[in-house]
Amino acid sequence: MTVTPLLDSVASPADLRRMPREQLPALAEELRGFILNGVAQTGGHLASNLGAVELTIALHYVFNTPDDRLVWDVGHQSYPHKILTGRRAAMTGLRKTGGIAGFPKRDESPYDTFGTGHSSTSISAALGMAVAAKRAGLTRRAVAIIGDGAMTAGMAFEALNNAGDIDANLLVILNDNDMSISPNVGALNNYLAKLMSGRFYAAARRAGEKVLSKVPPMLELARRTEEHVKGMVTPGTLFEEFGFNYIGPIDGHDLGVLIDTLKNIQRLDGPQFLHIVTRKGKGYEPAEDNPCLYHGVGSFDPATGIVEKPVIKPTYTQVFSDWLCDMATLEPRLIGITPAMREGSGLVRFSEAFPDRYFDVGIAEQHALTFAAGLACDGYKPVVAIYSTFLQRAYDQLIHDIALQNLPVVLAIDRAGLVGADGPTHAGSFDLSYLRCIPNLTVMAPSDENECRQMLYTAMTLDSPSAVRYPRGSGCGAAIEKNMAALPIGKGIVRRTGKRVALLAFGSLVTPALAAAEALDSTLADMRFVKPLDEALIQQLAQTHEVLVTLEENAVMGGVGSAVLETLQRLGLSNRVIQLGLPDRFIDHGDHVGMLKDCGLDAAGIVASVRTVLPE
């Protein structure tokens, strides 16, 4: 990475605040180039970070960070923030083992005031910080920076509703990057935004309210008149109704306007809402033209924009995508649903082929599940494509709205287990634990690509809720049968017969378990079903082997190993059991293969664990 002189002089926001304002646009260009060249080497989130460069500079220039709190929603746009807060050199290790995280992380820097990774949490967290400052009698400010996508989640509006009632010194910045800068975001709007954020306007407004309060009808007329006048040039009436002073929209790439507006807002009391408009991928044409491709990107050539795509086996996501389209052709009642993850969950082709049966509900996981439940009530067969880590956000809806009513909703759970560079915020470490305790729910874990396809079909044939959980990336490269056949419910299969030790593997760990079974000359069972468990197979293996080993890419606590122990106890069997899975800690980002090795879940680790109990 090439370090340019201006950027080299900024080791902290304090250095930035000493910089003359006229140098800031040049600094922004250097920062944008640094991010582009760095992400080209390491991979990561690009388009959103390029779009947030000027905003980040302005925030650290105006506010006294880290005493003033900046809370970044999701954190996809936090790279400029990391670079300006002393982590520029560490960006070469971004998202790598032992390197810095791709999201804000509290134990990484005092400037990361709130750890993120999931969307729509910023307003709630910043409001908590604003209330804490108010109770302590402190003048520090709390700022939530949230994107237009994250504003589709109910949690953001819950926080807005609460904030307007509390009257704390909270600034919410809506970074609207889903559109190009429209004609009304120009000189006039920038001027009006600066005017409405100024102390004179706020003082005049308060004085007018005080005078007119003696004549309630006139006060109401004045309020309505103000709403209509502001509504002619701004879309802020909604946020005003929440109790915020709405300002904007303004050009989020104009540093002068940003700084002047933020300085004005800094002097105002109570909840403020600043609407800025930015462009994803700003300054890099390939990312501007295709922000979805460059949202989360691998290594690429910055000169051409060509992303390195090695020839690999089909991913589980691709297997799901192909199955969904094939199944939709056969089953006209199938409806595909995603909470704002069309590309990541593999619904692009389905959305194009079956647009009237495709629903992107926005970042609203709770709504997605209850919406699916409503469809199921009236005879449809909804398939909800969702990441394991995001399904956690809709747990009550899964229990109350789907399972309790025994509705035939299919959950296609992507990114189960560890996810590599995205780290613990995106890891699907807990789904087997939180799914297996829910009545009426069938839970399946495929060991390869073909098994995934057949399990998805099996789920579709059920008249009850079901879940198929599969990992990120590719499997072992199994041949995929286009014909689909339902698997017998709750039945595993023995892949290898051996002596003394039986490995009971679930899903992604069948492949390393097979190699371990060869080294140990042990039996290997692909258990297939997490719920219902194959109790007959467990009993058979327990009666013919000294040691049982359970293997899952899920938290050991409460996972499938615990389910096997419960079964053995119920059957009155007392075999020695080794439970292998994810340890009781959050596992930092890194290379997926290395992460499994560190957890003892590769073939060598499995063998070593068995031999500590049963030496050769």
Side-chain angles (χ1 to χ4, degrees), residues 555-569:
V556 167
M557 295 185 71
V560 195
S562 298
V564 170
L565 284 170
E566 293 162 11
T567 300
L568 292 172
Q569 183 183 45

Side-chain angles (χ1 to χ4, degrees), residues 83-283:
I83 293 165
L84 294 176
T85 55
R87 287 167 280 180
R88 181 168 41 117
M91 291 297 287
T92 56
L94 179 72
R95 295 163 27 104
K96 296 180 180 178
T97 303
I100 63 173
F103 302 96
K105 193 175 181 183
R106 278 174 54 83
D107 61 5
E108 188 178 287
S109 169
Y111 292 93
D112 291 0
T113 61
F114 195 76
T116 56
H118 288 193
S119 83
S120 315
T121 62
S122 61
I123 303 175
S124 299
L127 177 59
M129 295 173 185
V131 170
K134 183 176 182 180
R135 290 182 62 84
L138 301 174
T139 59
R140 70 172 181 237
R141 295 286 168 150
V143 183
I145 305 100
I146 185 168
D148 52 298
M151 282 297 292
T152 63
M155 183 176 178
F157 285 91
E158 292 171 14
L160 287 173
N161 183 57
N162 190 210
D165 185 56
I166 291 176
D167 197 37
N169 290 334
L170 170 69
L171 169 59
V172 175
I173 298 178
L174 172 59
N175 181 15
D176 184 349
N177 55 24
D178 196 38
M179 63 187 80
S180 59
I181 296 174
S182 54
N184 69 335
V185 183
L188 176 60
N189 257 293
N190 289 338
Y191 172 75
L192 288 171
K194 289 165 65 176
L195 176 66
M196 287 189 287
S197 67
R199 282 184 292 180
F200 174 78
Y201 175 84
R205 183 183 185 188
R206 286 194 299 272
E209 287 178 347
K210 184 176 181 181
V211 172
L212 293 174
S213 65
K214 307 296 184 183
V215 190
M218 292 299 294
L219 175 60
E220 181 62 21
L221 176 62
R223 283 177 175 162
R224 289 184 179 276
T225 301
E226 182 190 38
E227 284 182 6
H228 286 300
V229 170
K230 292 176 78 172
M232 286 190 295
V233 291
T234 72
T237 304
L238 171 65
F239 302 108
E240 294 275 4
E241 290 295 333
F242 277 114
F244 282 77
N245 178 41
Y246 174 88
I247 301 149
I250 66 173
D251 184 347
H253 298 300
D254 188 323
L255 269 166
V257 170
L258 276 172
I259 290 171
D260 288 340
T261 304
L262 289 172
K263 282 187 173 181
N264 283 337
I265 292 173
Q266 192 181 32
R267 302 184 186 104
L268 301 179
D269 293 327
Q272 310 295 321
F273 193 101
L274 174 61
H275 181 178
I276 73 169
V277 178
T278 60
R279 181 165 187 144
K280 282 187 175 180
K282 172 71 174 175

